[in-house]
Amino acid sequence: MSGERWLLLSDGARPTEDIYFLESVAPHLRSEGHDVGRLDVRSWRWRLARWVLSRQLGANLVLCRTLPNRVLRWLERHREIFGRIVYLIDDDIPAASEDEALPEAYRRRMARIAAMQPRLLALADVVVASSEGLASRLEGRHGDVRVLTPPLIAPLPDLSHFEAPHWWVGFHGTRAHLEDVKHIAPALWRLHEASPQVSLEVMLGRYTPESLQGLERLETPDAMSWKAFRDYRQRRRMHIGLAPLLDSTFNRGKSFIKFLDISAMGGVGIYSRRPPYTEIVEHGVTGLLVDDTPQAWYDALRYLVENPNVARRMADNAAGVARERGDIAKACAFWRRLEAG
């Protein structure tokens, strides 16, 4: 198994690339004698990338989410010169393209990928999905679908920030979850009015729900690049993290990555009471699972704010689960099984 060549072809999906391969598995593959690299195939880079690829006879390829159409056409014509091809996917792309609750520009982009996805699936020997829900959606479209839940690639902090008298409650996600945040906005507004020792952070910039804009103790940073977010996550501390997830076909394919993100910022999470969070959160021990009502979210928020020792204990328990479930050694063992066929 030593000495194999693994090459990730990048269309810019850096979070997927880093979490599931480059920053988790790849360093260990290299330590075992494998040759592992990343090849950017976007725009003007493709001319050089094509030259490099044409000289990688027998190399195993990793594809993440999508590829430029001309790259995909080239791979289809030259499939026989490569070894195994693995397709990594962490979202239900067809569902995203059809979900009217998502931003129109995002849906159009997902529609373009969805139209291309059957060709990516046809190229792949193995499809690696980030959750059981997503895998179940793909099993009818490919004969070998496997689940690799998110590895933890961020350090976990100590919890000394729980000793501070002022607390932070935060949502750190993309506009794909705007409707989820809008649904719990009344609870956040009530918490802000009732608890002057609490500030809010909603990482949606100008897309922050209108009902929250203008609150005195609210920060709304804009969306960040993946690198900037990783740096921010490492230095920012939250007491309570929010992971609302309304029931939709798109959301049913989500992984529990937000559980790891919240732990990486030192927080205890409040999560919608549905998969994937019911698969990793023990209610009252490693976080709170709540129903889809603003009242339920408000009650959970007030409970944690009013019981700081309980909140800290849950954050500590959650960190332990994040270490165990996100153990990179497990991801490496998964990849070794994948290599073996």
Side-chain angles (χ1 to χ4, degrees):
M1 284 190 14
S2 64
E4 291 193 23
R5 172 69 166 153
W6 284 93
L7 191 60
L8 184 144
L9 305 188
S10 176
D11 191 28
R14 290 309 298 259
T16 309
E17 297 171 10
D18 285 351
I19 293 168
Y20 296 95
F21 189 69
L22 291 176
E23 296 291 332
S24 55
V25 176
H28 294 266
L29 291 177
R30 293 189 186 106
S31 73
E32 295 172 354
H34 296 275
D35 183 9
V36 182
R38 174 182 179 268
L39 190 61
D40 195 328
V41 297
R42 291 173 292 174
S43 62
W44 58 267
R45 303 170 186 87
W46 170 234
R47 185 173 181 178
L48 175 59
R50 182 177 57 191
W51 182 88
V52 172
L53 265 180
S54 67
R55 285 153 178 79
Q56 301 297 316
L57 302 182
N60 303 310
L61 304 182
V62 180
L63 317 178
C64 292
R65 292 177 66 94
T66 187
L67 286 173
N69 192 52
R70 61 180 176 176
V71 179
L72 185 53
R73 286 199 307 268
W74 189 91
L75 279 179
E76 289 168 335
R77 291 196 302 270
H78 299 89
R79 173 64 182 88
E80 72 281 355
I81 73 173
F82 298 107
R84 290 167 68 76
I85 295 183
V86 177
Y87 179 45
L88 282 176
I89 185 67
D90 58 355
D91 265 326
D92 189 335
I93 302 295
S97 71
E98 299 170 359
D99 192 332
E100 295 183 358
L102 298 177
E104 180 61 30
Y106 181 78
R107 290 174 57 201
R108 288 197 300 269
R109 188 166 74 253
M110 293 302 102
R112 289 193 294 271
I113 299 174
M116 189 181 297
Q117 196 171 60
R119 296 163 63 194
L120 289 159
L121 293 170
L123 275 174
D125 297 289
V126 182
V127 175
V128 176
S130 60
S131 70
E132 294 287 352
L134 181 56
S136 67
R137 294 274 293 173
L138 291 165
E139 283 171 352
R141 304 172 61 197
H142 196 279
D144 191 355
V145 180
R146 310 189 196 186
V147 176
L148 175 61
T149 53
L152 177 66
I153 64 170
L156 295 178
D158 65 34
L159 302 179
S160 58
H161 57 289
F162 274 89
E163 299 168 8
H166 198 88
W167 275 29
W168 282 91
V169 174
F171 168 82
H172 300 88
T174 68
R175 284 181 62 201
H177 292 287
L178 179 56
E179 291 301 316
D180 302 321
V181 176
K182 284 181 178 179
H183 190 73
I184 67 168
L188 298 179
W189 186 91
R190 286 181 64 189
L191 180 73
H192 179 275
E193 297 306 294
S195 304
Q197 76 277 29
V198 173
S199 291
L200 307 175
E201 181 167 277
V202 178
M203 190 175 277
L204 288 171
R206 67 182 185 276
Y207 300 106
T208 300
E210 187 176 352
S211 61
L212 298 178
Q213 294 180 19
L215 292 180
E216 179 183 0
R217 300 183 313 281
L218 170 70
E219 293 190 3
T220 58
D222 290 323
M224 300 178 182
S225 70
W226 170 238
K227 182 181 184 303
F229 175 70
R230 289 184 67 180
D231 293 342
Y232 185 80
R233 181 182 59 190
Q234 187 165 343
R235 68 178 185 271
R236 189 70 164 103
R237 294 294 169 263
M238 285 286 139
H239 299 82
I240 301 172
L242 306 171
L245 198 69
L246 296 172
D247 187 25
S248 70
T249 303
F250 175 57
N251 280 345
R252 288 176 209 138
K254 287 293 182 180
S255 74
F256 57 65
I257 187 65
K258 287 304 172 194
F259 181 90
L260 303 183
D261 284 342
I262 290 169
S263 291
M265 298 177 84
V268 56
I270 305 177
Y271 306 89
S272 290
R273 193 191 305 275
R274 60 173 43 89
Y277 300 124
T278 51
E279 299 165 2
I280 192 170
V281 177
E282 183 178 356
H283 180 69
V285 177
T286 58
L288 296 180
L289 295 165
V290 299
D291 295 329
D292 292 328
T293 66
Q295 183 65 49
W297 281 83
Y298 177 71
D299 291 344
L301 285 162
R302 283 300 299 269
Y303 174 75
L304 293 176
V305 169
E306 293 174 358
N307 295 276
N309 292 333
V310 174
R312 179 171 182 160
R313 184 167 64 249
M314 280 195 270
D316 190 40
N317 292 339
V321 172
R323 290 188 190 94
E324 194 276 327
R325 293 290 294 274
D327 187 357
I328 288 176
K330 292 184 178 180
C332 294
F334 170 92
W335 213 266
R336 292 188 192 99
R337 292 192 299 270
L338 186 151
E339 283 184 304

